[in-house]
């Protein structure tokens, strides 16, 4: 006979049954019974108190992306729950497995607009893979079991479980369910259809100018090794999406970097000119493709994805291969023939050398520009034996990080790609560090976005995390300023920033910090931060007006990139 | 009927009969910008499973999006586009018309022709019930308009595929769309 347990106990014991070791949250009235049970029964779960629930959701996200496990966040009803929404939407867009648990007003008050009531199930309907409102403790165990199952299987995503306070306080005999009963849920766990795979292999074998686009699906499926085998066997150049960075080593000879709005020019040329495009675990969104009907115009497109709804959603495709990237690549590998593609690789090499000629770091200048900082960060933390994980915020610095930091390790870049959420970096890094103690972690954030969640510095200190922070301080909401420069006649409406002294901010939390203003200091400052046994903040006061190129205007074709200017010095092309 | 391959499709979705499911479906239609013309939902033969018939406008590819996106809803157990299966399709309408005693005979004649029924009579009004294909319902409504329609309600299309095979909606077919597009 199973023992009587309260709703609060059921939550913690279910989490333990799911292998959860850490949760991120902040209490309030409606969730209090659960918090009390956590203390009363001394459950072996580490609760990380956050300063803002948005941070809790991003922490769960960073934890989940970096470990491959489900991240858990917890909040109270009303404002606690609504504060999670940005983090849930971020996770939803980037397919991160999260279980969010929220307290809700007691059932007797549901629908009465009582204190701190918000219909969080309704609010999160469009930004969760699924959600639950639990009004009766009877439904709680199944909901929790299903929430974890749904979050991590198939295309992962966030699931919210909203629990009324009286359900937390009630008791029932409890054993954690061993099975889920979800007749309407098909996570597509089977090996992809054989005819689709055979057709895909034939297209790849017949290709003269093939390109692979690898997305985050490769990393979610842990299929990096198989991807590499396939690329090497048939000598196919590999591009990634922004979220796919790290799925294929950036310094591999077959790597052609990443494509899209701010992708390398030679990568976009290759995507536009290829005759067969094998997209694996990438959802082909507008930031990657440019105007949909102009993308890869000469290519037969093979789309490998676990989500059938991605097939033909944006891009007209030739062959759909539905399934997990690992199973799909394993099925493809024996059917794809060894190949050389010398002319195609030579053409790409030519584009590549022309691209590096225009590299911003080729410009003769001794100014501290952000790309230089990013390249220094790579030299110091990622090159050779470097194994750092970088978590970026959103803006120009994010694009420069992606361009100038060469990610060779899987999951060494965490970034908000789909939603583009400013404020993501610091809390996501905290989550990643909690899941990977001892891992070198760098936050790269803009001066704007950092201020959106910088109160989580207190969480860094509270948890004694040795996170290193590089603020790319350009005095502007830089990426928006860039759009104003390019599309709005340089009218800088609402983009100049009034910044605090970030060094003093850090010091107020007891975090070591220094500012960096000159090129010569950059590498050494990074090394100094790296060597420090604890958190460290570097305020890089960079040249303010540098913009990110190449750039594809929204709605335009990737063929119409605004290129980096050719260097002014020497014998220009 | 079709313009650039755009036409009206009839789809049937089966879903768990749980609170908020309709909200999820309707929310998805809105959010994904699907063009839904009518929607009718009620019990199916399986306890706990509701059946929804809906009419959507778009190309075959658009419908693949509608199906695959809807199928992702955890509570939707099955979805089918029956447009090409020549299903039986019916709609029910109740139409309250103004009709003086002199006009009544004329109205009753129309009701006869359309095999509709009069389900309520007062001194100066009638409620007419029609069950039929959408265009029959449309024609009757148009004609009754001459007498003055006081009030009207239509259920939206319901559909069922002919033949003995049952579509119970309890098996998850999950729209496999592998292969060639
Ligand atoms: C929450 C949120 N609000 C607004 C935006 C729009 N936005 C995109 S990039 C950007 C500027 C970011 O400025 P900063 O953090 O200083 O980074 P920079 O571009 O200067 O490197 C803004 C406002 C966003 N992405 N997220
Ligand atoms: Mg800035």
């Amino acid at each position: 006979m199973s023992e009587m347990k309260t709703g609060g106990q059921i939550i913690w014991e279910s989490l333990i049954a799911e292998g959860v070791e850490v949760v991120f949250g902040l209490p309030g009235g409606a969730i209090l019974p659960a918090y009390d049970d956590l203390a009363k029964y001394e459950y072996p779960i580490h609760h990380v108190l956050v300063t803002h629930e948005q941070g809790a959701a991003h922490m769960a996200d960073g934890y989940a992306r970096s470990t491959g496990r489900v991240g858990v966040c917890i909040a109270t009803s009303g404002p606690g729950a609504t504060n999670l929404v940005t983090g849930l939407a971020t996770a939803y867009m980037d397919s991160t497995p999260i279980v969010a648990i929220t307290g809700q007003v007691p059932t007797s008050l549901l629908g009465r607009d009582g204190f701190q009531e918000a219909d969080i199930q309704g609010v999160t309907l469009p930004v969760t893979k699924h959600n639950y409102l639990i009004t009766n403790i009877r439904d709680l165990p199944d909901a929790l079991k299903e929430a974890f199952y749904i979050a991590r299987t198939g295309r992962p995503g966030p699931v919210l479980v909203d629990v009324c306070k009286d359900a937390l306080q009630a008791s029932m005999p409890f054993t954690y369910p061993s099975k889920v009963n979800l007749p309407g849920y098909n996570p597509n766990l089977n090996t992809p259809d054989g005819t689709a795979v055979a057709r895909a292999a034939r297209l790849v074998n017949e290709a003269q100018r093939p390109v692979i686009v690898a997305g985050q699906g490769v990393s979610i499926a842990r299929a990096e090794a198989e991807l590499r085998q396939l690329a090497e066997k048939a000598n196919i150049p590999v591009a990634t999406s922004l979220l796919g960075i790290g799925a294929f080593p950036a310094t591999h000879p077959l790597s052609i970097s990443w494509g899209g709005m701010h992708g390398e020019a030679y990568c976009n040329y290759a995507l536009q000119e290829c005759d067969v495009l094998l997209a694996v675990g990438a959802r082909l969104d507008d930031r990657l493709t440019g105007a949909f009907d102009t993308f890869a115009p000469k290519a037969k497109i093979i789309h490998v994805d676990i989500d059938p709804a991605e097939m033909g959603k944006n891009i007209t495709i030739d062959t759909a291969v539905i399934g997990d990237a690992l199973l799909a690549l394993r099925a493809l590998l024996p059917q794809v023939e060894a190949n050389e593609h010398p002319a195609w690789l030579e053409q790409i090499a030519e584009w590549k050398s022309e691209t590096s000629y225009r590299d911003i770091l080729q410009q003769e200048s001794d100014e501290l520009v952000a790309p230089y900082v990013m390249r220094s960060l790579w030299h110091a933390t990622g090159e050779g034996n470097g194994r750092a994980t970088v978590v970026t915020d959103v803006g120009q610095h994010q694009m420069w990080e992606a361009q100038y930091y060469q990610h060779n390790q899987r999951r060494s870049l965490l970034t908000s790609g789909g939603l583009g959420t400013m404020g993501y970096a610091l809390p996501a890094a905290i989550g990643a560090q909690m899941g990977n103690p001892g891992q070198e972690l760098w936050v790269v954030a803009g001066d704007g976005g950092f201020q959106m969640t910088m109160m989580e510095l207190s969480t860094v200190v509270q948890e004694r995390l040795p996170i290193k922070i590089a603020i790319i301080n350009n005095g502007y909401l830089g990426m928006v300023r860039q759009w104003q420069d390019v599309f709005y006649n340089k009218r800088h409406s609402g983009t100049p920033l009034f910044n605090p002294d970030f060094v003093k901010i850090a010091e107020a939390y007891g975090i070591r910090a220094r500012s960096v203003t000159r090129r010569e200091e950059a590498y050494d400052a990074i090394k100094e931060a790296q060597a420090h046994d604890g958190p460290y903040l570097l305020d890089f006061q960079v040249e303010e007006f540098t913009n990110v190129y190449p750039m594809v205007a929204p709605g335009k074709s990737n063929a119409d990139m605004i290129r980096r200017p050719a260097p002014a010095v020497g014998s220009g092309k | 009927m079709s313009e650039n391959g755009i036409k009206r499709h009839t789809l049937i979705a089966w879903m768990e009969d749980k609170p908020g499911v309709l909200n999820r479906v309707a929310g998805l239609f809105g959010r994904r910008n699907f063009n839904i013309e009518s929607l009718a939902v009620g019990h199916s033969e399986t306890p706990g499973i509701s059946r929804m018939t809906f009419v959507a406008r778009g190309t075959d590819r658009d419908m693949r999006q509608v199906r695959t996106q809807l199928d992702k809803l955890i509570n939707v157990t099955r979805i089918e586009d029956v447009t090409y299966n020549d299903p039986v399709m019916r709609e029910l309408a109740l139409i309250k018309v103004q009709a003086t005693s002199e006009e009544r005979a004329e109205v009753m004649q129309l009701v006869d022709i359309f095999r509709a029924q009069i389900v309520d009579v007062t001194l100066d009004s009638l409620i007419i019930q029609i069950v039929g294909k959408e265009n029959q319902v449309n024609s009757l409504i148009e004609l009754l308009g001459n007498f003055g329609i006081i009030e009207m309600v239509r259920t939206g299309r319901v559909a069922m595929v002919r033949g003995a095979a049952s579509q119970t909606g309890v098996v998850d077919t999950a729209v496999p769309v592998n292969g060639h597009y």
Side-chain angles (χ1 to χ4, degrees):
Chain A
M1 189 52 214
S2 36
E3 272 179 75
M4 294 294 283
K5 296 281 157 80
T6 67
Q9 286 180 283
I10 287 172
I11 288 178
W12 300 116
E13 294 187 18
S14 301
L15 262 50
I16 290 165
E18 290 291 342
V20 175
E21 292 164 359
V22 55
V23 301
F24 307 92
L26 193 148
I31 195 73
L32 251 180
Y35 270 81
D36 189 51
D37 285 339
L38 176 63
K40 191 164 156 193
Y41 298 99
E42 297 178 5
Y43 288 116
I45 286 183
H46 181 70
H47 176 265
V48 175
L49 175 62
V50 302
T51 36
H52 186 296
E53 292 88 347
Q54 180 186 345
H58 290 326
M59 287 176 206
D61 181 313
Y63 178 91
R65 289 194 208 200
S66 62
T67 62
R69 300 201 292 266
V70 178
V72 180
C73 55
I74 181 160
T76 193
S77 66
T82 56
N83 273 351
L84 291 175
V85 172
T86 301
L88 293 175
T90 304
Y92 185 65
M93 282 294 253
D94 288 350
S95 308
T96 310
I98 287 181
V99 168
I101 295 166
T102 49
Q104 181 56 278
V105 298
T107 42
S108 58
L109 286 175
L110 262 188
R112 312 289 177 94
D113 302 323
F115 181 63
Q116 292 193 331
E117 176 174 11
D119 171 16
I120 199 63
Q121 191 190 26
V123 169
T124 59
L125 216 59
V127 296
T128 52
K129 188 171 170 186
H130 194 53
N131 61 17
Y132 295 85
L133 168 62
I134 303 299
T135 54
N136 189 319
I137 186 172
R138 182 189 63 210
D139 301 326
L140 185 58
D142 282 342
L144 289 165
K145 176 80 184 177
E146 289 170 15
F148 278 90
Y149 180 72
I150 291 169
R152 69 164 178 265
T153 52
R155 179 179 182 170
V159 179
L160 177 128
V161 184
D162 193 28
V163 191
C164 286
K165 189 173 184 177
D166 48 329
L168 291 175
Q169 289 164 321
S171 297
M172 69 180 258
F174 169 69
T175 37
Y176 194 55
S178 55
K179 287 200 290 278
V180 292
N181 176 24
L182 293 165
Y185 179 53
N186 179 357
N188 294 311
L189 301 177
N190 301 327
T191 297
D193 175 64
T195 33
V197 171
R199 190 185 154 83
R202 195 177 41 147
L203 286 174
V204 171
N205 291 336
E206 285 168 0
Q208 302 293 311
R209 303 186 308 277
V211 167
I212 295 173
V213 173
Q216 190 194 205
V218 172
S219 293
I220 292 173
R222 295 184 181 267
E224 289 92 350
E226 286 73 8
L227 171 69
R228 186 168 170 167
Q229 283 167 33
L230 187 85
E232 287 176 351
K233 182 174 182 187
N235 269 294
I236 304 174
V238 181
T240 71
S241 64
L242 181 68
L243 287 189
I245 288 176
F248 192 77
T251 56
H252 190 288
L254 285 170
S255 166
I256 56 168
S257 188
W258 54 283
M261 184 175 270
H262 293 294
E264 292 295 341
Y266 70 97
C267 183
N268 281 339
Y269 288 143
L271 290 171
Q272 290 307 100
E273 290 301 317
C274 67
D275 64 352
V276 168
L277 185 93
L278 174 61
V280 186
R283 64 188 171 85
L284 306 180
D285 84 319
D286 60 288
R287 281 299 188 266
L288 173 67
T289 64
F292 293 144
D293 53 359
T294 65
F295 179 64
K298 301 172 183 171
K300 291 216 160 68
I301 298 179
I302 305 156
H303 199 174
V304 179
D305 204 285
I306 200 161
D307 182 356
E310 290 304 337
M311 301 299 157
K313 184 179 81 179
N314 293 343
I315 300 292
T316 307
I317 61 170
D318 191 78
T319 296
V321 180
I322 296 166
D324 176 86
L326 182 64
L327 298 178
L329 286 169
R330 279 190 184 151
L332 272 170
L333 252 172
Q335 298 185 41
V336 168
E337 294 156 7
N339 226 319
E340 299 293 335
H341 307 300
W344 176 229
L345 293 178
E346 197 174 308
Q347 168 69 75
I348 289 176
E350 211 170 285
W351 285 327
K352 184 170 178 175
S353 85
E354 189 264 355
T355 299
S356 40
Y357 165 78
R358 286 166 180 262
D359 191 317
I360 196 165
L361 298 181
Q362 302 277 13
Q363 310 256 8
E364 262 180 44
S365 155
D366 49 16
E367 277 186 301
L368 184 66
V369 290
Y372 184 85
V373 177
M374 291 301 108
R375 188 47 62 81
S376 305
L377 186 66
W378 178 59
H379 288 318
T381 71
E383 201 177 10
N385 295 324
R387 290 285 181 277
T389 300
V390 182
V391 188
T392 77
D393 220 77
V394 170
Q396 291 183 313
H397 64 279
Q398 176 190 32
M399 296 297 113
W400 282 316
E401 198 284 343
Q403 290 179 347
Y404 288 92
Y405 197 105
Q406 305 284 290
H407 288 278
N408 283 333
Q409 311 300 325
R410 72 179 299 274
R411 288 298 197 191
S412 60
L413 171 63
L414 308 181
T415 194
S416 165
L419 200 70
T421 308
M422 286 169 74
Y424 174 79
L426 179 63
I430 293 171
Q433 187 80 87
M434 291 303 299
N436 302 270
Q439 169 68 21
E440 181 178 357
L441 260 159
W442 280 82
V443 166
V444 171
D447 44 346
F450 185 70
Q451 293 188 70
M452 287 199 178
T453 50
M454 71 179 174
M455 62 289 212
E456 300 302 344
L457 285 174
S458 68
T459 313
V460 171
V461 176
Q462 168 191 284
E463 301 296 326
R464 299 169 205 262
L465 303 177
I467 291 173
K468 319 297 179 193
I469 299 160
I471 295 181
I472 305 303
N473 184 347
N474 57 4
Y476 279 91
L477 295 170
M479 185 55 90
V480 179
R481 198 270 330 277
Q482 168 161 351
W483 283 45
Q484 291 169 336
D485 287 346
V486 181
F487 307 121
Y488 294 92
N489 224 339
K490 296 190 163 63
R491 270 184 301 279
H492 294 165
S493 170
T495 46
L497 289 170
F498 183 83
N499 284 331
D501 181 334
F502 290 108
V503 171
K504 281 192 179 147
I505 294 264
E507 285 169 356
Y509 286 94
I511 292 174
R512 283 266 286 273
R514 65 174 274 197
S515 61
V516 181
T517 54
R518 294 181 301 121
R519 269 195 190 203
E520 309 80 76
E521 301 171 81
Y523 183 83
D524 292 342
I526 292 165
K527 278 295 183 192
E528 182 185 318
Q530 196 180 33
H532 177 65
D533 179 26
Y536 205 113
L537 183 147
L538 295 170
D539 177 19
F540 288 98
Q541 301 183 0
V542 298
E543 198 287 322
E544 42 189 344
F545 291 110
T546 314
N547 283 340
V548 184
Y549 296 105
M551 178 182 195
V552 179
K556 287 274 167 53
S557 161
N558 284 353
D560 302 330
M561 278 172 283
I562 307 171
R563 296 289 311 275
R564 294 183 183 121
V569 289
S571 55
K573 259 193 195 171
Chain B
M1 183 175 170
S2 80
E3 204 180 291
N4 315 320
I6 294 176
K7 61 165 174 279
R8 303 168 81 208
H9 289 246
T10 305
L11 295 99
I12 306 175
W14 288 262
M15 54 201 70
E16 292 178 274
D17 184 10
K18 286 188 172 165
V21 174
L22 205 55
N23 199 7
R24 288 179 200 278
V25 172
L28 183 87
F29 287 158
R31 183 159 77 249
R32 294 273 174 196
N33 209 10
F34 295 152
N35 201 338
I36 306 299
E37 296 194 347
S38 81
L39 182 159
V41 61
H43 294 300
S44 72
E45 73 290 345
T46 313
I49 299 285
S50 314
R51 174 169 172 148
M52 174 193 282
T53 310
F54 61 99
V55 178
R57 253 186 106 74
T59 62
D60 285 357
R61 180 170 157 183
D62 293 336
M63 290 311 116
R64 211 148 41 211
Q65 262 299 292
V66 172
R67 282 191 295 139
T68 50
Q69 293 291 357
L70 258 187
D71 197 53
K72 284 209 285 182
L73 294 180
I74 308 291
N75 302 123
V76 171
T77 57
R78 180 171 182 170
I79 168 136
E80 260 173 52
D81 185 344
V82 296
T83 311
Y84 301 109
N85 302 9
D86 184 30
V88 178
M89 299 190 288
R90 291 293 181 271
E91 180 173 1
L92 181 147
L94 297 175
I95 309 142
K96 189 184 283 180
V97 288
Q98 235 158 357
T100 55
S101 40
E102 304 88 77
E103 290 167 328
R104 203 167 283 162
E106 221 178 314
V107 172
M108 282 163 70
Q109 224 174 359
L110 282 177
V111 166
D112 263 0
I113 294 168
F114 281 86
R115 284 194 224 128
Q117 273 176 282
I118 292 171
V119 291
D120 181 67
V121 187
T122 68
L123 273 183
D124 46 10
S125 78
L126 295 168
I127 296 180
I128 294 148
Q129 169 193 303
I130 176 169
V131 176
K133 290 185 188 158
E134 213 170 309
N135 53 357
Q136 294 172 325
V137 177
N138 288 343
S139 313
L140 178 61
I141 289 168
E142 201 184 315
L143 290 166
L144 291 174
N146 296 325
F147 301 92
I149 293 176
I150 302 169
E151 203 183 324
M152 179 178 89
V153 58
R154 299 175 71 156
T155 57
R157 181 185 293 181
V158 293
M160 189 174 281
V161 174
R162 295 164 208 271
S166 84
Q167 296 172 297
T168 58
V170 285
V171 189
D172 188 2
T173 55
V175 204
V177 284
N178 271 306
H180 187 220
Y181 268 57

